[in-house]
Amino acid sequence: MSTSSQHSRPVSRRIDSIKHNGDSSLDGARPRKRIVTHNEAYLFALRVAYLTYLLQPQARRTQQVSTPPPTIQRSSSSINDLIKDFSILRDSKSTRFPHGFMSELEKRLTGVIMGKEKKPEYNDAKVKMTFAAFFNAFTEQGFRKRMEKDRRVEDLVLIFFSNATKALQTGKASNDDSWRLMADRHLALFVRLISLILKDHEWSRDRPELSSRLTNLETKLLANDQDLTSQSSKNGGVSTVEVVVPRSYEVKDMQLVQFVGGIFGLTKTQMQSDIDKNKVSWTAEAALRDLKTYQNLLSLNSRKTLRSDDFDLEEAYEAWKKAESPDLSQMMLAIVQSNPELAKSTARSNLPHFISVGSSSEASDSGYSDLSRKMSEVSDVSSYVIDQPVDMSSVSLIDNSSEIQQDEDNIFTFIPPDPRSYYRFILSSALTHDLQDDSLQPSKPTAETPAIKLLSKPSTELLNEICLRWRIPFVSRIILFLDVIREKFIEKTVELETLDEAFTFIKEPLPESRKTTNNMTSLLFDRSKWTLVDFALNQQILASLNDALLRELYDIALQCYEPKPPSVGPVMYVLEHHVYEDPSFSKAPEDLDLFTQQLHEGLREKAFIMYKEYLEKHLPQDQQSWEFFHIIELGKAVMTLAQRIQKRYRKNPEIMGVNPLTALTETILPLYAEDARDIVARILQLAKQRGEEVPVEDGFDLYRELVEVRKIHSEALPHVPFAFHIEELLADFVWRWIRMTESTINNWVDGATKQDDFQVRSQNAGQVPTEEERHSVSVIDIFSSFNQTVDRIVQLNWDDDLQYAKFMTALAKVVCAGIARYCEIVETKFNKEMDRLTPEQEASASQTRQEKWMQLAKDAWSNKEKIEPFQFFPVSFVKLNNIEFATRQLDKLEREVNVDACVDVIERNTPPLNQRQRKINNYVFTIKIVEAEDLKACDINGLSDPYVVLGDEYQKRLAKTRIIYGNLNPRWDETVDITTQGPLNIIATVWDWDTLGEHDCVGRTSIKLDPSHFGDFLPREYWLDLDTQGRLLLRISMEGERDDIQFYFGKAFRTLKRTERDMTRKITDKLSAYINHCLSRRAFRSLLSKGITMSSVSQYFNRNRPMSTTQVPTQAEVTDALKPLFTYFDDNFAIMNQTLTSAAMVMVMTRLWKEVLVTIEGLIVPPLSDKPSQQRQLNQQELDIVFKWMQLLFDFFHAVDEETKEANGVPLDVLQSPKYFEIKTLNFFYFDSTDNLIRTSERMASATASRQQAQRNRLSAPASLSSMSFGGAAGLLGTPSTRRSKSIMLSRNLGTMKKAKEEKRKEAQADPNDDMILRILRMRPDAERYLRDRSRQKERLAAAAAAELIVKQSLMAGGGRMTGNLPRR
């Protein structure tokens, strides 16, 4: 709030003394409470209005009289004498025409010449002739340029007169002077045209001196001719003269008097009667006497005028008094001039002269005129106002009661006893009249102010005359005007806009009289020049307005919650800019604090009422009909109201320190939260009693609404907790939705696969499909379902991290189940397509045993090498593409779910390991069927087509491997997961596949899966002897099935990867037969012997017999030997490349490369075993051929472009696998002596044992003695390994799978073993004893490791037997 200015400090001190000091000498400074009657105010207003009529100039009328013939004569004054006024002031800017004038003059001259000028006096032909003559000189470039520079009017006048004289003299006799008067007349028309141009463009307002002198020049030129449009009679005639119209003294001729009657409600007859009765005393002479009396009282320092006691400063009083005397003289002179008869009774020396405008340094009464024009409407009728610079002085505003009693009969005629009270009464009456006058049009609205009605022009003229005659000071008039406006505002008869405009117009200067108005504004804001009474009244006005505005502000603010409330801006604006900024206003801060508190409480009560209305509107009375919908609608209503208030008060959030949004939210939000909690609980209770369930969608909708309410609650009330935990109350709806999703996930997958024809989605049949078009719609549909399922929970914006993480875990389980189902269906369809019989197999199925033998002999004799490519179906490749696409989509979903963050949240909110025991109910055993050796031959060719079937003790099939054709030492490398809740006996049966009839049993073995034996979660390898001959290698590991999001994603990834691997292996199996054919020892014989002789048939059945070589084959011959294989690959790759994606193509080629490496390895060394092998060791020549083949195949699979040198095949890091390096290192040991190989093997075995012992001590887990075992006790107990390769947790996304693969590669490179040496030793008959000793050594070490493991597991179980409580990993 503003403080008082420097000038106002003494005033404040004096006012305080007036209010609180009882000094009788200052009693007169207080505003008198004089009661003014209606009739008294009317009579004094009537006197002033009647005096205005008396002082107005009398009207004149024209009258025709006969005149003798005039004598035409030229004025004695020359043209130079006429324009001498311009010459005297030729350097003054005020006599120069403005810029742009020349262009406008040219337009008007053209109009005159063309006859387009509207003024009739310019239509004369001679006028057009003289103007045309001047126009020629005017448009001359040099003259025009000089005129633009000098801008002197006299130059234009002289040039026009010169050209007009020449034009009018043309054709006249030398003694004919009639043209001279015509020249004056035409020059006067030219001067008039200049004046019209200045007036039309409002240039005359800025150049009053120029306009005045042009008018004088025109008058002089027309001295001999007043009417230019008529022809004067040369022979005499009738002329017109002006005569004064006598006054009628009738009210109908007195406009201001009529207006007084309108204000006070009197008829013209009544006012005429009053005037007739008092016109003898209401004379101009009485008015002059009043001024003389007032002047004398001012000189005597009477209390009838203002005295020094009425001002706070003596300087202010002296300044007022100094300006008052000359103003009185000016007013008396105006009265004498209006009535010259009065001059006879007034000494000439006592009559002052009018002073020029602007000569006085003090403020003048012309401010009244400015104020009039600003307050009133625009009117063409002007009232009589003394337009002279006289100051607004006043009569005495304070009188002692004694003087009032002594002067019962007022000494003045026109001035009332208490001018201030009378003026206020008349002002109030005039304002009331104007407000009720429908004919009074309001001001035009602008962008800043609306249309308002203040005082009309007649009212303002009347009040102006009253202030002038009664000597009401300017400041007093303003203060009284504000006091009347205040009264009207409190009485509700004027609007707030009118109050604002009343303050505004007295502060802003008028542009047309800025100098004078600035003086008045200076007086208004210089409080040191105010009278004490005005200052005190101003304080009372401000205090009263403050209370009234605060009341109105309170009423408006209580409507702020309505849909369309009134704005508090106007009230706040008036308070802040007109009340609080006024230095006279003083209010205690405690009062404003009290208002703030009351407003805040009022808003809270209003908010409570609004909430109750919403509650009654949206919540039924019957509880049985309550639904979540009602809570949602109630919440929306609350939210809409809060958002509307927030938006409404965004720029100005507070009203006098009160925030409507805060008052609203701290009232209705806690109420809504408590009611919502109770209503939800009641709805759930009633639904349970009825045996019904509330729809899940209703729960989700309710959650969204409650969360929005809670969000606003937390923003508005950060320190107030929400009434209840929404997530805890509504979590069951999410669990129900997840359970419903889980129950329908298989149906989703089944429906998607049934509708899928597994065709590429190419839009144009003739074009090669793009990468994104090579998978079918089923995989897109199921992952769209998965994403929608996850998004459904994500879009809830669940605000409980632990619950959200558990939701995501449950959804991960659903996704895992869906992917498992999809993989099962797709793989089943894929296997059915891939296991169909080839044409050769179908033909062979119908042959007898003898026919099969004969066909075998024929094939051997004809050296049949050509094997037709397998006819792959495009739909089969699309299925593989789908699995590859599903893997990428699952990885994307895993990142979007943010699995690691979910795990972190659950772990942070889960007790530590030492405070909990995790009960594992389900165990996942991963069984890898690695290989078999020395199987029984079941076919007539001395071989078997083995495959393995795993079943439980109840003969339920659990898994089945693929078929390896024509092999007694097959390698499957297939993995299966088996979930169990306790120990489970597994029976492994090796079968021989036959085209016709039943399949033959090759052998059978069994193993018990006991979770207590796998408590360390480390993988083990078991060599299981078959009940016939041979043995089977199984690699078994166990994981506890965990309710863990990483576990479920890992399980899903592993399912996809296994399906992808099995399907890829199915494809490569169709090619492996020809790979084995081309990379066989028979191919060696063909290459080294340059063809096959008759002995090749017998050699086929004795393929281990040493081969004799004649000469070393060339590089071209070695390459040509593989051309059939390369052609075979190209044919099949061409088929695959049409459908498989790039990633799937590389995956198939990678798998083929592994098959190539395994085949090449089989050529060089036998499989790992503790028994001697019958396989012959290759010689150096044969070994070189094998390595050349491997290099050729390496280059073929790498597929480097000869031009660009870019690899288009299998990446280099995939080709250079550990198996590749193992084969490459065979050169170092292959031809070494047996003794050296044994020593190297022992040294490497000792180093490996030392490393594993150190690792066992570090991990407190049994060490792996080798990556294999030779059977016996070690085979029964299993050889443990510290590596967790291919576990579910390491397969939870593509990143972890890639990282695990890299670690496995590094580990294989950093941990060399002697496996290759032992495989070489199998081909050395003298190493049989060493192999047997190593086998016994490993059996002992494995038995010791198993015993140690049992002891450690017992210790972990607390000294007792191992139970199902396993520590969480």
Side-chain angles (χ1 to χ4, degrees), residues 510-750:
L510 290 172
E512 61 269 17
S513 56
R514 190 171 301 275
K515 182 176 180 180
T516 303
T517 309
N518 285 341
N519 291 333
M520 307 313 303
T521 304
S522 175
L523 177 62
L524 180 64
F525 287 98
D526 188 359
R527 306 298 170 92
S528 64
K529 296 181 180 180
W530 287 21
T531 64
L532 297 179
V533 175
D534 289 335
F535 196 92
L537 180 57
N538 186 49
Q539 284 187 327
Q540 295 175 10
I541 293 171
L542 295 176
S544 177
L545 284 177
N546 177 68
D547 295 340
L549 290 172
L550 288 181
R551 284 193 299 270
E552 183 161 348
L553 179 64
Y554 182 87
D555 296 336
I556 295 176
L558 290 186
Q559 304 177 51
C560 68
Y561 300 141
E562 301 294 335
K564 293 183 179 180
S567 174
V568 299
V571 180
M572 293 294 299
Y573 180 86
V574 174
L575 277 172
E576 293 175 357
H577 291 81
H578 300 320
V579 178
Y580 295 157
E581 287 187 359
D582 196 298
S584 300
F585 178 77
S586 60
K587 196 74 172 180
E590 296 79 9
D591 297 336
L592 294 179
D593 293 341
L594 178 61
F595 174 79
T596 300
Q597 181 180 357
Q598 292 174 348
L599 179 58
H600 184 75
E601 292 299 325
L603 288 176
R604 292 201 60 179
E605 293 178 3
K606 183 65 176 179
F608 179 78
I609 295 173
M610 293 287 293
Y611 177 73
K612 287 299 183 183
E613 293 177 356
Y614 286 156
L615 193 63
E616 294 176 359
K617 178 180 178 182
H618 296 289
L619 192 67
Q621 296 294 329
D622 183 16
Q623 294 187 7
Q624 295 293 333
S625 59
W626 284 358
E627 296 179 2
F628 282 0
F629 171 77
H630 300 129
I631 308 176
I632 294 173
E633 290 300 311
L634 178 60
K636 287 181 179 179
V638 171
M639 287 284 294
T640 302
L641 177 61
Q643 291 172 355
R644 185 170 69 239
I645 299 304
Q646 184 181 27
K647 181 179 180 180
R648 182 177 296 165
Y649 297 99
R650 180 176 298 154
K651 295 183 178 180
N652 300 303
E654 292 188 350
I655 303 174
M656 297 294 290
V658 179
N659 191 322
L661 181 62
T662 301
L664 176 71
T665 53
E666 70 182 12
T667 302
I668 66 172
L669 292 186
L671 290 174
Y672 174 76
E674 294 173 1
D675 290 344
R677 176 195 59 199
D678 298 338
I679 296 172
V680 169
R682 183 57 178 165
I683 292 175
L684 295 177
Q685 181 184 2
L686 294 174
K688 185 177 181 181
Q689 292 175 359
R690 294 193 297 264
E692 301 174 353
E693 284 188 341
V694 179
V696 173
E697 292 299 326
D698 291 355
F700 287 175
D701 293 340
L702 177 62
Y703 177 77
R704 294 189 190 94
E705 189 63 34
L706 290 177
V707 166
E708 288 298 321
V709 174
R710 184 174 61 186
K711 179 182 178 182
I712 294 184
H713 185 282
S714 61
E715 292 174 354
L717 309 172
H719 304 297
V720 178
F722 201 68
F724 66 101
H725 191 232
I726 303 173
E727 287 72 19
E728 182 178 355
L729 185 63
L730 300 179
D732 184 62
F733 288 92
V734 182
W735 287 117
R736 283 172 49 197
W737 184 80
I738 293 175
R739 289 193 295 269
M740 289 188 299
T741 303
E742 185 176 12
S743 64
T744 57
I745 188 67
N746 289 338
N747 295 332
W748 293 358
V749 175
D750 293 344

Side-chain angles (χ1 to χ4, degrees), residues 883-916:
I883 299 300
E884 184 269 333
F885 178 79
T887 305
R888 290 189 283 112
Q889 291 299 309
L890 183 63
D891 185 67
K892 180 181 178 182
L893 180 63
E894 190 264 353
R895 293 194 304 271
E896 291 176 352
V897 171
N898 200 353
V899 169
D900 294 337
C902 293
V903 172
D904 182 63
V905 169
I906 293 176
E907 289 181 351
R908 287 201 313 267
N909 293 274
T910 304
L913 289 175
N914 57 1
Q915 296 182 11
R916 60 188 170 93

Side-chain angles (χ1 to χ4, degrees), residues 465-476:
E465 290 294 334
I466 291 174
C467 289
L468 188 66
R469 300 301 167 190
W470 296 356
R471 308 309 300 155
I472 305 293
F474 172 75
V475 173
S476 298

Side-chain angles (χ1 to χ4, degrees), residues 775-821:
H775 49 267
S776 63
V777 296
S778 60
V779 69
I780 298 177
D781 292 342
I782 65 168
F783 269 94
S784 177
S785 300
F786 292 160
N787 288 322
Q788 290 175 5
T789 302
V790 174
D791 289 343
R792 192 63 184 279
I793 303 300
V794 172
Q795 291 171 0
L796 288 176
N797 294 320
W798 203 259
D799 203 22
D800 189 303
D801 292 342
L802 179 59
Q803 289 184 353
Y804 178 80
K806 290 181 178 180
F807 295 156
M808 289 297 109
T809 301
L811 288 179
K813 184 178 180 181
V814 174
V815 171
C816 178
I819 288 176
R821 178 61 178 168

Side-chain angles (χ1 to χ4, degrees), residues 108 222 294 317 341 536 753 774 1019 1067 1097 1173 1178 1226 1234:
R108 296 296 287 269
L222 298 178
Y294 179 83
Y317 170 70
E341 296 295 329
T753 53
R774 297 194 176 199
I1067 296 174
V1097 177
S1173 174
L1178 300 179
L1226 280 174
T1234 302

